Amino acid sequence: MNAFQSASNQLTLALSKGRIFEETLPLLAADFGVAGRDVLMEHGMAGLYAPIDLNIARCRMSVAVPKGFDYANAVRQGARLSVATKYLNTAREHFAKKGVHVDLIKLYGSMELGPLVGLADAIVDLVSTGGTLRANNLVEVEEIVQISSRLVVNQAALKLKRDRLAPILDAFERASAQDERAGEPA
């Protein structure tokens, strides 16, 4: 067996690990992996197939503002709003659909500091319980999209290694379906 044959018999699993993964996801040559819907939306799905919602790491991407901020007036059509986020593409698209002009400020971590220090009117970020927002005197005013982790598959690997990937995909599908059923009321 030569080196090429040996390497072609391997599958590589890539798991999300913060900013580096988010920025390199489109460049990865892994056969399959796990990524949040937020990452997939922000960086696109070029070369990836996301067949299975794993129903884990559930949260939502939302807009939040300081308590007392008149969000309804701030997002009237034709208005201009400053928004702190690391999800520039998603935020731009969301506000464009509403006809709102946005000045986007790219921040990583501690998004809630943007409005607190006067850098932004609002933030777009992931919200799970809302505890961090409350602790920083912010309120969630609009949900953009529900987020969960998805199994992603490199489209080239799906074509070239389908026989080897199929049992793995089936196992993930069954496990995800079991988890979904376990969470349903009796």
Side-chain angles (χ1 to χ4, degrees), residues 38-117:
D38 56 318
V39 174
L40 298 172
M41 287 173 55
E42 186 64 18
H43 297 287
M45 294 286 295
L48 295 175
Y49 172 58
I52 302 169
D53 184 345
L54 299 173
N55 293 306
I56 58 174
R58 298 184 68 77
C59 60
R60 59 199 175 276
M61 186 175 300
S62 295
V63 179
V65 298
K67 284 183 183 171
F69 182 81
D70 186 357
Y71 182 71
N73 188 50
V75 295
R76 69 189 185 286
Q77 190 147 9
R80 181 166 223 95
L81 187 69
S82 62
V83 178
T85 187
K86 72 176 185 179
Y87 301 103
L88 299 176
N89 296 325
T90 304
R92 184 179 296 111
E93 183 179 314
H94 172 72
F95 287 106
K97 287 179 184 173
K98 300 169 83 61
V100 176
H101 302 284
V102 289
D103 296 318
L104 296 172
I105 298 113
K106 187 170 189 166
L107 292 180
Y108 288 102
S110 301
M111 218 58 57
E112 60 280 352
L113 294 179
L116 294 178
V117 299

Side-chain angles (χ1 to χ4, degrees), residues 6-7 11 29 38 53 57 60 77 80 112 115 117 131 133 139 153 161 168 172 177:
S6 173
L11 293 176
D38 56 318
D53 184 345
R60 59 199 175 276
Q77 190 147 9
R80 181 166 223 95
E112 60 280 352
V117 299
L133 295 179
V139 292
V153 182
K161 300 177 182 180
I168 296 168
F172 271 101

Side-chain angles (χ1 to χ4, degrees), residues 137-155:
N137 207 29
L138 299 173
V139 292
E140 187 175 0
V141 291
E142 187 173 16
E143 180 181 295
I144 297 173
V145 66
Q146 286 286 318
I147 301 293
S148 62
S149 293
R150 301 195 63 92
L151 183 73
V152 293
V153 182
N154 179 315
Q155 290 177 351

